[in-house]
Amino acid sequence: MRAYVGLGSNLGDPAAQFRAARIAMAGLPDTRLRALSPVYRSAPMGPADQPEFLNAVVALDTRLSPLELLDELQSIEAIRGRVRSRHWGPRTLDLDLLLYGEQLLTHPRLQLPHPGVHQRGFVLYPLADIAPDAHIPGHGLVRDLINTLPAEQLLRVHDFCWSERI
């Protein structure tokens, strides 16, 4: 199944967090990393008393169930020092399961598609870079949704390299 995962980080060394997350996701069981979006810099969503975020999206092909994939992603977050202390607060690494095929799921631990995915430029712009024809169930195609959101609060990080050594 094709799954899309959003990455966010604004603590420590966000670029190193992204590179470590890429390596970890590429090593997940029954999963292949298929695409990496460009990286964007954005203002924090929620409390403004925190650093700007780096954001990106990766595409995975996986045979893990959505909840199994969520468990693996949360394990990567924990290894990278993620502490959930404040809603929409700063974090070393945030890995959000955005889409899992076209599956709709409402579970106490996971909602698919991810809530708000269709309204967040820091998600839609990197997603559009790697999957403009992806369908967000209940909302439409990424390429159409992107036209409804301004990009002025996003800055593409042109010098980011996914393959640098950690």
Side-chain angles (χ1 to χ4, degrees):
M1 182 68 60
R2 176 64 50 97
Y4 295 95
V5 177
L7 291 81
S9 176
N10 71 341
L11 290 180
D13 183 346
Q17 293 290 0
F18 277 21
R19 291 182 192 105
R22 174 192 57 87
I23 291 167
M25 286 187 283
L28 291 177
D30 297 319
T31 301
R32 292 193 63 183
L33 182 65
R34 290 298 187 185
L36 302 160
S37 80
V39 173
Y40 289 81
R41 185 173 307 282
S42 67
M45 184 175 147
D49 64 337
Q50 58 182 317
E52 290 183 318
F53 273 83
L54 288 187
N55 299 101
V57 172
V58 302
L60 303 173
D61 284 342
T62 187
R63 290 195 306 248
L64 298 174
S65 72
L67 289 172
E68 290 171 330
L69 182 54
L70 177 66
D71 287 341
E72 294 287 351
L73 296 174
Q74 289 179 342
S75 176
I76 294 168
E77 288 177 339
I79 290 167
R80 301 305 305 169
R82 170 77 188 263
V83 176
R84 297 174 190 276
S85 60
R86 181 169 77 163
H87 186 61
W88 288 338
R91 59 205 70 165
T92 54
L93 183 63
D94 187 25
L95 300 175
D96 288 331
L97 182 51
L98 305 171
L99 299 169
Y100 187 90
E102 293 204 19
Q103 187 165 341
L104 297 171
L105 177 67
T106 299
H107 184 276
R109 295 185 52 226
L110 178 63
Q111 185 175 341
L112 292 171
H114 191 280
V117 67
H118 63 288
Q119 300 170 315
R120 297 176 179 165
F122 63 86
V123 173
L124 279 182
Y125 277 85
L127 182 57
D129 286 325
I130 61 172
D133 294 325
H135 180 255
I136 299 176
H139 301 288
L141 296 176
V142 170
R143 71 168 179 251
D144 296 330
L145 293 168
I146 200 82
N147 294 323
T148 67
L149 297 175
E152 69 261 4
Q153 294 184 353
L154 291 175
L155 176 65
R156 191 167 172 172
V157 180
H158 291 283
D159 61 349
F160 184 88
C161 180
W162 282 101
S163 63
E164 289 180 11
R165 300 234 181 249
I166 299 170

